[in-house]
Amino acid sequence: MQQNRDGFSSRFGVIAAAAGSAIGLGNIWRFPYVLGENGGGAFFLIYLAFIVLLGIPLMLTEMSIGRAGQRNTYGSFRNLAPKSKWYFIGIMGVVGAYMILSFYSAVAGWTLQYLYDAVVNNFANKNSADLVSMYETFTSSSFMPVVWTLVFLFLTGLVVVAGIEKGIEKYTKILMPLLFVIIVVLDIRAVSLDGAEEGLSFLFNPDFSKISSKVVLEALGQAFFSLSLGMGTIITYGSYIDKKEKLFSSAVSVSLADTAIAVLAGVAIFPAVFAFGIEPDSGPGLVFITLPNVFQQMPGGYFFSIIFFFLLVIAALTSSISLLEVIVAYFAEELNMTRAKATMVSFISVGVLGVLCALSFGPMSKVTLFGFTIFQLFDYVASNILLPVGGMLIVFFAGWVWARSRFKQEIIGESKENGLFKIFMFIIKFVAPFAIALVFLNAVGLLKF
Ligand code: PHE
């Protein structure tokens, strides 16, 4: 039975919501730290190549599947391929959403603390060493990180309960462009720091000796993570897109906006990393240590730091609602829960996992599996295994299982197949699934190049 489904009300609403999902901690927190750990410029180039070659086509595919399937990820595959097991992709997506939302909420919780620190002017007169110890003391404590994680998840739940239009759309439209402006201001300050060149060169001068199969997989994982691909977020959002919308231009605009924010974040962070003598591979704390340094070096830094952390919280929120939406839409549509109940159940279950992630830097830092803390395990498994494998299955499904005519219908409607569409189909059938498989198998050691 088809329920009366919520939808996005305008063209800008679609792009804003999908961009809201894509743009988040992935761009500003995860991109710089993963790039820093993977040697810089060479990683960056591979990342860009993956965005263009695999990311944009996959985004278009996910939007098409969702809009044709008219349901949550699981239900969309059930609708498009009844009597088959493809819905398994949907289940993987829900599992992925659980893992990502858990560690994501923990980091978003840190962002809330940093917003508070900005307001009470806690960064004032602190040098790099002080900021490192401030970060470490906070993240390793056992109380506030937990409280903030739950506060953040609670906020996420509130927006999701309100429904798609009224909740998600309203907030993203105004605040994302503002985030863009603030980062550009930060960039201007960062590139004029003494010693900025070294940071820019770290980011933009590829050192190809740094490339390994692990670096390539992490670049792929980061590309999918940043674009919210490979786990059904964009399928779920696609199901709310009006049939009149042109998916191609939406997918391209969202991917470009997301990539631009990541690059601008990199330009704000790496010059400062080198100028203040921070190690580029310092890990998840990188932004939290670097940017407070920059704020201190700029006129109006106090106000900018407040606005920046506020917007970062909002950017995280527009992403976390898209993650929670994957879970809630599944519970509500497949398990027949009311939206409110589905949100409650998700809040509690993700909350437990989120707390474990928040404690992974302190009291639970010794609890490890394969040498990973719970936080690292969720981050690694979701980004570097579930998203690539999920993305590969999605493009494979779209290229080889789904009827070409129905796929075409979503992308160019009744028009005759044009050159662009043919190239796109070629990528979906022959390039994307195999490229992802190669990257993956090579990194896990099942294939050797
Ligand atoms: N893309 C989001 C970000 O960059 C994170 C995300 C990943 C959201 C996967 C949804 C699905 O912050």
Side-chain angles (χ1 to χ4, degrees), residues 126 145 211 254 387:
K126 290 204 165 62
I211 296 182
V254 171
L387 300 187

Side-chain angles (χ1 to χ4, degrees), residues 21-27 100 104 224-229 231 233 258 315 319-320 322-323 387:
S21 168
I23 298 166
L25 296 172
N27 309 58
I100 297 178
Y104 206 85
F224 284 2
F225 184 91
S226 191
L227 294 174
S228 306
L229 296 174
M231 50 154 293
T233 306
D258 184 74
S319 301
S320 64
S322 75
L323 285 159
L387 300 187

